C-alpha cells in the first residue's frame, strides 16, 4: 500500500533534510477551478522552516487527509507547483519541490500549462520530483 510506505518514509525524509541543515515547507492543494475553489491551496505560515518545527511535523503527520476529496479525479498540480515555486522565498540555490499526489494534473482547467511550469522550474533552478500514490479507501 503506497500510503503505508509513504507514512513510514516521511520521518526518514525529514531526518535527511535536518541532517543536511536544510529547510522545508509543506503545501497542500486540490482544485482551483472546481469544487475546492478558495481553499484549493495551503502552505505553512512563513517561509522555509526547520524540519523539526512543529508546523512541519504536524503537516507531515497529517498529510494523508489532504489526499482525499475534490469533485473530480484531477487536481491543480501545475498551478500548485507554479505557486510554490514562485512565491516561496528560497534560501539557497539547492531547490527541490516534492509533490505527493493521488491524482493526475488537470490539463484544461489550469492557469499554467505543463510547459510553462517546466520553464519556470528550469529558470529558477528547481528540481521537481512527483510521487503518485494509490490511496486505499
Amino acid at each position: 500500500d503506497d500510503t503505508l510506505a509513504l507514512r513510514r518514509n516521511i520521518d526518514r525524509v525529514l531526518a535527511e533534510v535536518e541532517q543536511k541543515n536544510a529547510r522545508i515547507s509543506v503545501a497542500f492543494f486540490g482544485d482551483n477551478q472546481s469544487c475546492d475553489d478558495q481553499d484549493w491551496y495551503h502552505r505553512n505560515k512563513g517561509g522555509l522552516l526547520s524540519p523539526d518545527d512543529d508546523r512541519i511535523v504536524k503537516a507531515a503527520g497529517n498529510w494523508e487527509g489532504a489526499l482525499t476529496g475534490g469533485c473530480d479525479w484531477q487536481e491543480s498540480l501545475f498551478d500548485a507547483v507554479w505557486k510554490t515555486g514562485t512565491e516561496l522565498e528560497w534560501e539557497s540555490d539547492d531547490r527541490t519541490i516534492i509533490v505527493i499526489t493521488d491524482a493526475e494534473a488537470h490539463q484544461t482547467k489550469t492557469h499554467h500549462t505543463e510547459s510553462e511550469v517546466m520553464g519556470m522550474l528550469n529558470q529558477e533552478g528547481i528540481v521537481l520530483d512527483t510521487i503518485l500514490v494509490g490511496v486505499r479507501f
Side-chain angles (χ1 to χ4, degrees):
D1 179 35
D2 295 338
T3 306
L4 294 174
L6 189 56
R7 188 182 306 129
R8 282 193 300 265
N9 287 294
I10 287 284
D11 289 337
R12 185 183 58 79
V13 170
L14 291 174
E16 187 174 325
V17 170
E18 187 171 22
Q19 181 182 29
K20 292 180 178 183
N21 199 27
R23 299 287 178 252
I24 193 167
S25 180
V26 176
F28 297 98
F29 67 95
D31 290 334
N32 67 350
Q33 297 183 47
S34 197
C35 61
D36 296 330
D37 293 332
Q38 292 179 336
D39 292 331
W40 80 276
Y41 179 92
H42 296 280
R43 189 169 52 80
N44 61 270
K45 300 286 186 208
L48 293 166
L49 305 169
S50 171
D52 64 351
D53 188 294
D54 284 345
R55 292 170 285 185
I56 296 299
V57 173
K58 287 177 185 175
N62 295 318
W63 67 270
E64 61 188 304
L67 285 176
T68 60
C71 54
D72 58 16
W73 176 249
Q74 297 87 4
E75 303 292 358
S76 297
L77 173 73
F78 301 139
D79 293 341
V81 171
W82 183 276
K83 190 169 182 64
T84 302
T86 59
E87 292 183 2
L88 192 60
E89 293 183 23
W90 299 93
E91 296 177 4
S92 75
D93 292 333
D94 187 8
R95 304 169 177 183
T96 301
I97 294 176
I98 302 171
V99 176
I100 302 169
T101 184
D102 66 339
E104 61 188 25
H106 273 296
Q107 298 294 323
T108 56
K109 294 191 296 184
T110 185
H111 295 293
H112 300 283
T113 66
E114 180 178 6
S115 62
E116 287 174 325
V117 170
M118 296 309 291
M120 178 274 296
L121 293 170
N122 189 37
Q123 181 178 341
E124 297 296 325
I126 301 170
V127 174
L128 176 67
D129 290 324
T130 305
I131 302 168
L132 179 63
V133 298
V135 179
R136 184 176 53 190
F137 296 99

